[in-house]
Amino acid sequence: MKRIYMDHAATTPVRPEVLEAMLPYFSSEFGNPSSVYSWGRAARKALDSARDQVAALLGASAGEIIFTSGGSEGANLAIKGVAWADQNRGKHIITSAIEHHAVLDTVLWLEKQGFEVTILPVDEYGLVSPAQVEQALRPDTILVSIMHANNEVGTIQPISEIGAIVRKHGAKFHTDAVQTAGVLDLNVDALNVDLLSISAHKFYGPKGVGALYVRKGVRLNPLIHGGGQEKRRRAGTENVAGIVGLAKAFALAQSERAEENARLTKLRDRLIDGLSRIPHTRINGHLEQRLPNNVNVCFEFIEGESMLLNLDLRGIAASSGSACTSGSLDPSHVLLAMGLPHEIAHGSLRLTLGRENTEEDVDFVLQELPGIVERLRAMSPLYKG
Amino acid sequence: MYSDKVMDHFTNPRNVGEIPDADGVGEVGNARCGDIMKMWIKVENNVITDIKFKTFGCGAAIATSSMITELAIGKTVEEAEQITNQQVADALEGLPPLKMHCSNLAAEALGAAIADYRKKTATTA
């Protein structure tokens, strides 16, 4: 059976060129970058070069890049790091209702430690309003964290505009750019951000490695103590192979993104157009300010996991915001924040396209899905035909 | 994550549908939590002769609904009433732990249909 992977927002395969770049650092060039002898120097050279490369892609300088274990650590380090370092200035933090749990749960944890938190609502398309950010800012606001693009519905936030407002008020601004690295321009000055986190495995790099940009002058308390690595902001022997892979994958993605985005946008719109023809279907997220690879729909009267199982039986990998797949009793917090009722949010399906997907793949999904939806509706007590 | 038996009942659910002249109808769950089961039973001489279901829910919800229809058919009302969610799960060769609570509602759905049947027969008697 042909298998079609359409869950690239979850993770992506490592590109062969990336794997090839990484391989020497597992074996012949295995040295610890902190060692003075030749093995160590070779690893240090690879690390420095990766850092330069990532910094250049972000329009930053090498000293502003901290390598992490991925997006969750990046968000934790950015948020807790600034909160702890700046808590004498104020204890107020602002974020949005549709953030990834790596941000949301971190902020809520800080709230339990005595910080004050404002969680901004979003509109029906999942957009955060810059005016609402401005209203929420207080003299004691130390940090604002708003994601660049949402991982579930693909809505792209007006980060540059929000960043300008936050800067005017003297707070620090973090954006979770895990879904936009390799897809959108991530120039940190154009985005007006002080901190920005990315994760390699979302752009055809390896899992377990990410990067956090921290603007020069931003104070940050480390999460991990125990060594002088990453300018004392992240102890631990560097994941050299992973970091080399991250830099390579990021460079490839950024250099190809214009062409690839155009291709993916065509496929995405073909998919959205086809799925819209299924009755009682709604497209979630913003139609224009949307990631080029994201499709998120709700099919009313049916539940997401049963849809995923049926798709899997036909070789199609996708995801859903239903409670069963969110690991809690509630469906996607993103869809609920956008105002969708619970029963409809349970019937959401996310298809995220990637490099290996073709028009034939899209057409295969469009051929299989209507039957699955129809069959599940036929056994749903909510569906009256 | 699901057993072969669960996948069998999920992909080929038994007794899906409605019984227009059912002797008892029961519905449990709610759309908020993502699982609704509705069950129709036909009872002759105190024996369940026909049973049908419709379910909105995940794979486990559909499989447990299907399984209980097989367990209940041909049983007396009293026997059918004794079927537990655990027995349904066992007959399916187990369910993932998370699903034991949220989607294993079939015994409640059947119980609701039987309660409805009792109410109807009590008023007609």
Side-chain angles (χ1 to χ4, degrees), chain B residues 59-73:
Chain B
I62 291 169
T64 51
S65 310
S66 166
M67 178 48 88
I68 207 166
T69 64
E70 285 208 322
L71 295 176
I73 203 154

Side-chain angles (χ1 to χ4, degrees), chain A residues 303 305 313 324 346 375 379, chain B residues 2 11 32 55 58-59 99:
Chain A
E303 190 276 339
E305 192 215 62
L313 289 167
C324 285
H346 280 297
R375 195 174 145 269
M379 65 171 96
Chain B
Y2 286 131
T11 46
R32 205 183 145 81
T55 290
C58 64
K99 303 286 182 181

Side-chain angles (χ1 to χ4, degrees), chain A residues 324-335:
Chain A
C324 285
T325 52
S326 74
S328 73
L329 288 177
D330 281 318
S332 151
H333 68 290
V334 174
L335 297 177

Side-chain angles (χ1 to χ4, degrees), chain A residues 243-290:
Chain A
I243 290 165
V244 166
L246 177 143
K248 178 79 181 173
F250 195 25
L252 283 170
Q254 291 296 97
S255 71
E256 295 169 5
R257 72 185 175 89
E259 207 179 317
E260 180 63 0
N261 285 353
R263 192 186 75 86
L264 289 174
T265 302
K266 258 176 84 178
L267 294 181
R268 176 198 72 186
D269 292 346
R270 186 181 181 90
L271 200 46
I272 289 178
D273 185 57
L275 295 177
S276 304
R277 290 165 204 269
I278 299 175
H280 307 290
T281 297
R282 60 171 87 190
I283 308 297
N284 300 313
H286 200 285
L287 284 179
E288 282 95 41
Q289 285 165 251
R290 184 181 200 99

Side-chain angles (χ1 to χ4, degrees), chain A residues 17-62:
Chain A
E17 310 93 298
V18 171
L19 181 62
E20 198 187 335
M22 292 172 67
L23 282 175
Y25 300 96
F26 289 108
S27 49
S28 57
E29 305 295 346
F30 67 91
N32 186 326
S34 300
S35 305
V36 294
Y37 42 72
S38 65
W39 284 275
R41 290 196 305 272
R44 168 64 55 192
K45 202 175 149 208
L47 188 60
D48 288 348
S49 145
R51 198 184 306 275
D52 288 342
Q53 205 170 6
V54 171
L57 291 166
L58 297 175
S61 59

Side-chain angles (χ1 to χ4, degrees), chain A residues 97-220:
Chain A
I98 57 156
E99 298 300 307
H100 189 279
H101 283 295
V103 167
L104 219 40
D105 291 359
T106 302
V107 169
L108 293 174
W109 181 82
L110 283 170
E111 190 176 32
K112 282 193 205 144
Q113 314 293 312
F115 285 85
E116 285 178 60
V117 170
T118 300
I119 297 178
L120 296 172
V122 293
D123 69 9
E124 60 183 304
Y125 304 108
L127 277 172
V128 175
S129 143
Q132 279 187 325
V133 173
E134 181 135 45
Q135 279 165 15
L137 279 157
R138 314 192 312 213
D140 63 336
T141 305
I142 50 172
L143 177 69
V144 178
S145 186
I146 306 288
M147 72 199 317
H148 195 186
N150 183 262
N151 51 309
E152 293 188 30
V153 296
T155 301
I156 300 168
Q157 304 297 340
I159 290 303
S160 177
E161 202 181 330
I162 294 171
I165 293 167
V166 175
R167 183 161 299 157
K168 205 171 67 190
H169 285 78
K172 302 291 182 287
F173 184 40
H174 167 246
T175 193
D176 160 7
V178 164
Q179 292 294 332
T180 53
V183 180
L184 302 181
D185 182 25
L186 288 192
N187 183 289
V188 291
D189 288 335
L191 288 173
N192 292 320
V193 295
D194 299 305
L195 303 110
L196 176 147
S197 44
I198 65 172
S199 177
H201 77 103
K202 306 290 190 184
F203 49 82
Y204 307 90
K207 291 170 185 61
V209 62
L212 175 67
Y213 158 78
V214 184
R215 187 174 292 277
K216 190 168 187 288
V218 171
R219 294 192 308 150
L220 196 74

